[in-house]
């Protein structure tokens, strides 16, 4: 029963860049949603150099009530100045926000309905996330995350130890987000990921709900912001930035007792990467970072 209500309840925020091979699957996950309310999908093409923009235009013409495109002529992500977040905030009109980047996709046609139903009935919860599946693009293998007991309620301490929330599974209250966003802008940190600090801010100020149903497929590419088979320095930088976020929130919120868990989380992530890539360079760099973190 899609869009049978008058109120626009959900804005889906989708960032796409050179996702020509994946964007159809992503957009299909939006338009298949069955809801008792109206929703929209703001699809932001960040000056792609492949056929991504053309596919988005095609879907916008077929589903004008849902797909609302933004086409950039200059890449915004490379500026690292928060321009993408500002643009998406300006175009968000829904009471709730769902997120899905152009290379991930939804598999549950009731995802939005389930999440809105919960948030409408539980005003003390500001964010809801779900289980998911992982698609390893290189060998086209899908694995169920199978995490029936992920945290719900007051999850800040758990989330500070390890980021277990996958962006494409999330829905949150937009009014609450706007208050949090001003805090994030004041930090002025040069972090490599934008979502993890946001989840931590939500977890500090509201309850978080986990829905143990797989609604989403998270696609692991050989080359992305958080994964790489060749750009070792990029992965080191990304994982160090993740630890910087954890240290910032731990010290800012009197959670220094969690610092050993943070170090352990970083250590495990980098050690696994060392095993996968058999790189002495990573091992040396990892030990250097940990030594300096523990003695600083």
């Amino acid at each position: 029963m899609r869009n049978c209500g008058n109120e626009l309840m959900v804005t889906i925020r989708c960032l796409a860049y050179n996702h020509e091979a994946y964007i159809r699957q992503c957009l299909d996950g939006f338009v298949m949603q069955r809801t008792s309310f109206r929703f929209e999908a703001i699809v932001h093409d960040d000056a792609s150099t492949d056929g991504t923009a053309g596919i988005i235009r095609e879907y916008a013409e077929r589903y004008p009530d849902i797909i609302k495109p933004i086409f950039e002529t200059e890449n915004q992500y490379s500026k690292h100045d928060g321009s993408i977040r500002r643009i998406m905030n300006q175009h968000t009109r829904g009471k709730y926000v769902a997120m899905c980047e152009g290379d991930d996709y939804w598999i549950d046609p009731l995802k939005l309905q389930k999440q809105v139903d919960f948030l409408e009935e539980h005003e003390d919860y500001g964010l809801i996330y779900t289980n998911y599946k992982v698609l390893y693009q290189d060998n086209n293998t899908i694995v169920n995350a199978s995490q029936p007991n992920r945290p719900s309620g007051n999850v800040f301490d758990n989330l500070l130890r390890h980021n277990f929330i996958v962006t494409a599974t999330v829905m949150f209250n937009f009014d609450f987000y706007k208050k949090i966003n001003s805090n994030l802008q004041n930090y002025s940190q040069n972090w490599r990921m934008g979502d993890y600090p946001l989840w931590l801010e939500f977890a500090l100020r509201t309850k978080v709900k986990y829905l143990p149903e797989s609604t989403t497929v998270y696609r692991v590419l050989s080359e992305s912001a958080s994964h790489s088979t060749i750009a070792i320095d990029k992965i080191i930088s990304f994982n160090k930035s993740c630890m910087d976020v954890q240290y910032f929130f731990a010290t800012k919120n009197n959670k220094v007792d969690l610092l050993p868990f943070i170090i352990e989380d970083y250590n495990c992530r980098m050690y696994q990467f060392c095993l996968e890539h058999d790189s002495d360079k990573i091992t040396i760099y990892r030990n250097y970072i940990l030594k300096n973190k523990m003695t600083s």
Side-chain angles (χ1 to χ4, degrees), residues 16 78 80 87 143 159 168-169 193-194 215 265:
S78 60
H80 299 293
I87 291 168
V143 179
L159 189 60
T169 73
M193 71 291 294
T215 66
D265 177 50

Side-chain angles (χ1 to χ4, degrees), residues 164-279:
F164 45 78
I165 297 179
V166 171
T167 302
T169 73
V170 165
M171 178 181 288
F172 55 79
N173 184 294
F174 186 52
D175 282 341
F176 205 95
Y177 163 86
K178 286 185 283 188
K179 299 175 184 177
I180 290 174
N181 188 50
S182 62
N183 289 335
L184 291 175
Q185 290 176 335
N186 291 334
Y187 296 157
S188 299
Q189 300 291 325
N190 189 27
W191 292 324
R192 296 293 297 275
M193 71 291 294
D195 296 339
Y196 188 26
L198 181 59
W199 310 155
L200 287 166
E201 283 287 347
F202 265 100
L204 270 171
R205 293 168 172 77
T206 185
K207 291 182 181 180
V208 173
K209 173 65 176 177
Y210 174 57
L211 185 67
E213 301 176 24
S214 293
T215 66
T216 300
V217 173
Y218 169 64
R219 192 186 308 266
V220 176
L221 303 173
S222 59
E223 298 298 319
S224 67
S226 57
H227 299 88
S228 179
T229 58
I230 56 176
I232 293 174
D233 289 341
K234 182 172 73 171
I235 298 305
I236 292 172
S237 177
F238 184 88
N239 281 279
K240 181 181 180 299
S241 184
C242 182
M243 188 170 66
D244 288 342
V245 170
Q246 292 169 306
Y247 262 80
F248 176 85
F249 278 88
T251 55
K252 179 175 179 289
N253 296 285
N254 299 316
K255 296 289 184 178
V256 293
D257 57 314
L258 297 181
L259 294 183
F261 296 98
I262 292 170
I263 293 173
E264 181 181 5
D265 177 50
Y266 178 85
N267 191 10
C268 289
R269 282 185 281 117
M270 294 305 296
Y271 182 67
Q272 181 62 35
F273 195 73
C274 290
L275 291 178
E276 293 173 357
H277 296 270
D278 192 24
S279 173

Side-chain angles (χ1 to χ4, degrees), residues 49-141:
T49 58
D50 62 2
T52 301
I55 296 172
I56 295 171
R57 286 190 178 91
E58 173 191 331
Y59 274 74
E61 292 173 0
R62 290 170 56 190
Y63 306 98
D65 57 328
I66 298 177
I67 306 299
K68 312 293 183 181
I70 299 173
F71 299 108
E72 300 289 354
T73 57
E74 180 184 6
N75 185 268
Q76 301 298 307
Y77 175 80
S78 60
K79 296 179 179 180
H80 299 293
D81 63 356
S83 59
I84 291 181
R85 179 169 289 183
R86 289 193 295 272
I87 291 168
M88 298 304 274
N89 287 345
Q90 291 170 1
H91 287 82
T92 297
R93 301 183 299 152
K95 179 178 180 179
Y96 300 109
V97 172
M99 303 175 74
C100 186
E101 295 192 359
D103 53 349
D104 300 325
Y105 61 98
W106 295 342
I107 53 176
D108 184 351
L110 297 176
K111 176 189 184 293
L112 296 184
Q113 186 70 58
K114 293 173 183 176
Q115 292 183 306
V116 166
D117 286 346
F118 180 87
L119 292 176
E120 286 287 282
E121 295 171 5
H122 301 83
E123 294 184 357
D124 52 336
Y125 284 78
L127 182 148
I128 180 171
Y129 70 107
T130 78
N131 201 2
Y132 61 97
K133 297 182 180 182
V134 180
L135 169 58
Y136 294 95
Q137 187 64 36
D138 282 351
N139 56 16
N140 199 31
T141 301

